[in-house]
Amino acid sequence: MMADTPSSPMNTPCEHPNSGASPSLSWPDADINDSDESDLFSISWNQDYGCFAAGTSHGFRIYNCEPFKETFRRDLRTGGFKIVEMLFRSNILALVGAVANSHYPPNKVLIWDDHQSRCIGEFTFRSEVRGVKLRRDRIVVVLEHKIYVYHLMDLKLLHQIETVANPKGLCCLSYHSNTFVLACPGRCKGQVRVEHFGLNVTKSINAHDSQIACLTLTMDGLLLATASVKGTLIRIFNTMDGSSLQEVRRGVDRAEINSISLSPNVQWLAASSDKGTVHIFNLRVRVFGEDSVIHPNYVQGPALLHQNSSTALDPLISPNTGANPNSSLSFMRGVLPKYFSSEWSFAQFHLPENTKFIVAFGSQNTVLIAGMDGSFYRCSFDQVNGGEMLQKEYIRFLKC
């Protein structure tokens, strides 16, 4: 059985980022195809949610969200990519080939400079790559049982993290330059491991009784949102001390949570599932002296306002926004089952069921939704009254 370790050498750069181009390592068999007939393998947002990348059976495509437009595409004869990870809006991407890609197998990560049309770094592993995340200073590669953290400039290995079986490649990062936080499944079912690399602090959070299905961090890494394979509850945690800050309910029936997103001002949470509904929740988490947690004092850690009683949290809700609805029997909390005191979604948008959609927050009070059926939606929600969201835009970006 092959170990989940990189082949020797540990990483195999095609060439140093500062060296000259190698003709043999440029984009192979480029074949720009104007046809939209491609299978969609993956969709993923960039770090500021202003763009998303689509891995297809022929290559990949990059789209801008507001206004919506295809920025560029790269098509190949050799096959497509199952993972396409952008680095903000730069020309650097991380690519992992699909199984049918004859040139780039799924156990290899390419760091691609699209401006120069060449590979500037390469990692080869003994098992399939499950996920890749980029920061301006780091490359994170996720295998099923292990995560590797590399320095972006020289491709040196910095950290190794062992995880429970992680076939979905779950991992999320903070993206502020002054913080580096990584969250991933821990070594036990339902556990999340949080690494504060700048502080040399590791936190293990027992988030759920079942396996972790989805997780995301705020841009500064101080808040974590998680869902389990049951898909009924979403929980928000303080990553510094592991404390639970809020719990919201998507529904009662089991569902697969495909995506969780936190708004830049940390006032809203969006979630999508295979049930075909995007839910918006109002967050009741604040930092002392600020309206958001965009620029907290990272060294001291977040001074988060939270208590176990939702009554004590109610004054923290902004006066110009609504609150998540509760059951009419929530006054009997502690007597009736926990279900009756749950916080339900504040706003909703209905989509086709059994299709994977990913969500993000756009400008003002809008939500961006991209689907594995090749669809893109932009919706708005009423910040005071909630309810059904209003569809503002629908685009078929790929014919699947």
Side-chain angles (χ1 to χ4, degrees):
M1 180 176 178
M2 291 185 176
D4 280 345
T5 55
S7 61
S8 182
M10 189 66 73
N11 51 64
T12 311
C14 298
E15 55 212 9
H16 192 278
N18 295 322
S19 66
S22 170
S24 64
L25 294 166
S26 60
W27 198 254
D29 299 327
D31 181 21
I32 303 302
N33 185 359
D34 291 331
S35 172
D36 279 341
E37 297 296 332
S38 294
D39 293 328
L40 190 55
F41 289 164
S42 68
I43 45 177
S44 58
W45 305 111
N46 74 335
Q47 290 80 359
D48 63 13
Y49 305 103
C51 303
F52 70 92
T56 75
S57 54
H58 294 146
F60 66 87
R61 305 178 187 191
I62 305 298
Y63 299 91
N64 187 75
C65 294
E66 296 183 280
F68 187 90
K69 64 177 180 179
E70 181 180 304
T71 305
F72 65 90
R73 69 171 71 182
R74 300 290 179 261
D75 290 341
L76 303 177
R77 294 190 185 98
T78 55
F81 294 98
K82 69 167 189 172
I83 295 174
V84 181
E85 179 75 5
M86 300 177 66
L87 179 59
F88 290 89
R89 295 170 184 264
S90 75
N91 50 300
I92 304 299
L93 302 103
L95 305 172
V96 178
V99 174
N101 191 321
S102 60
H103 201 91
Y104 298 130
N107 67 324
K108 180 180 290 188
V109 179
L110 300 175
I111 307 302
W112 180 258
D113 185 335
D114 198 74
H115 180 70
Q116 301 183 59
S117 294
R118 66 185 181 96
C119 172
I120 60 172
E122 177 182 304
F123 303 90
T124 300
F125 300 88
R126 298 180 183 176
S127 62
E128 184 175 345
V129 175
R130 303 294 184 172
V132 181
K133 298 294 180 182
L134 296 179
R135 281 171 46 101
R136 297 190 194 278
D137 57 353
R138 297 290 185 270
I139 303 167
V140 177
V141 180
V142 185
L143 306 184
E144 184 157 354
H145 293 276
K146 209 160 193 179
I147 293 175
Y148 295 93
V149 181
Y150 299 90
H151 195 280
L152 180 60
M153 292 306 297
D154 57 17
L155 307 184
K156 287 185 178 179
L157 179 64
L158 301 176
H159 309 281
Q160 300 182 47
I161 302 170
E162 293 187 0
T163 69
V164 71
N166 185 17
K168 294 175 66 175
L170 299 178
C171 181
C172 55
L173 312 178
S174 65
Y175 295 115
H176 281 181
S177 59
N178 62 332
T179 66
F180 181 20
V181 184
L182 179 151
C184 64
R187 300 190 67 176
C188 302
K189 180 176 67 175
Q191 184 183 80
V192 177
R193 175 171 174 166
V194 179
E195 293 285 351
H196 290 266
F197 288 112
L199 301 178
N200 197 26
V201 171
T202 301
K203 271 290 172 188
S204 293
I205 300 174
N206 295 317
H208 300 272
D209 294 331
S210 304
Q211 291 178 333
I212 302 297
C214 194
L215 73 173
T216 192
L217 288 165
T218 48
M219 292 289 283
D220 54 25
L222 298 180
L223 297 181
L224 167 74
T226 67
S228 75
V229 292
K230 290 183 179 178
T232 53
L233 298 172
I234 299 170
R235 292 176 175 143
I236 297 93
F237 298 90
N238 176 349
T239 64
M240 292 298 295
D241 61 14
S243 60
S244 176
L245 303 177
Q246 190 174 351
E247 177 183 283
V248 296
R249 180 173 289 275
R250 179 212 57 82
V252 180
D253 298 332
R254 191 183 185 97
E256 182 178 355
I257 302 290
N258 293 318
S259 174
I260 301 174
S261 180
L262 296 161
S263 66
N265 64 1
V266 200
Q267 189 171 354
W268 306 101
L269 180 150
S272 62
S273 75
D274 62 352
K275 292 293 185 180
T277 302
V278 171
H279 294 272
I280 306 295
F281 300 90
N282 190 298
L283 295 183
R284 295 183 279 99
V285 179
R286 299 292 182 269
V287 174
F288 284 115
E290 295 193 26
D291 293 328
S292 68
V293 289
I294 299 245
H295 297 293
N297 186 329
Y298 182 68
V299 176
Q300 294 180 358
L304 296 172
L305 289 170
H306 73 280
Q307 296 184 28
N308 292 329
S309 166
S310 65
T311 303
L313 285 166
D314 288 343
L316 300 180
I317 298 173
S318 177
N320 63 342
T321 62
N324 300 322
N326 294 84
S327 165
S328 60
L329 298 176
S330 60
F331 68 93
M332 297 186 68
R333 130 180 4 186
V335 178
L336 294 175
K338 194 174 183 179
Y339 163 84
F340 291 100
S341 60
S342 296
E343 291 184 51
W344 296 80
S345 61
F346 175 75
Q348 307 81 31
F349 185 73
H350 296 283
L351 297 158
E353 291 189 23
N354 301 316
T355 298
K356 180 180 178 180
F357 291 94
I358 59 173
V359 295
F361 286 92
S363 59
Q364 298 177 345
N365 60 325
T366 60
V367 175
L368 310 174
I369 306 167
M372 286 295 290
D373 60 354
S375 63
F376 174 85
Y377 299 83
R378 186 170 60 89
C379 310
S380 64
F381 63 98
D382 188 322
Q383 294 182 322
V384 176
N385 300 312
E388 188 68 19
M389 287 191 273
L390 177 65
Q391 180 177 309
K392 307 285 285 186
E393 187 175 18
Y394 169 78
I395 291 173
R396 192 79 175 180
F397 67 89
L398 191 70
K399 297 175 184 178
C400 298

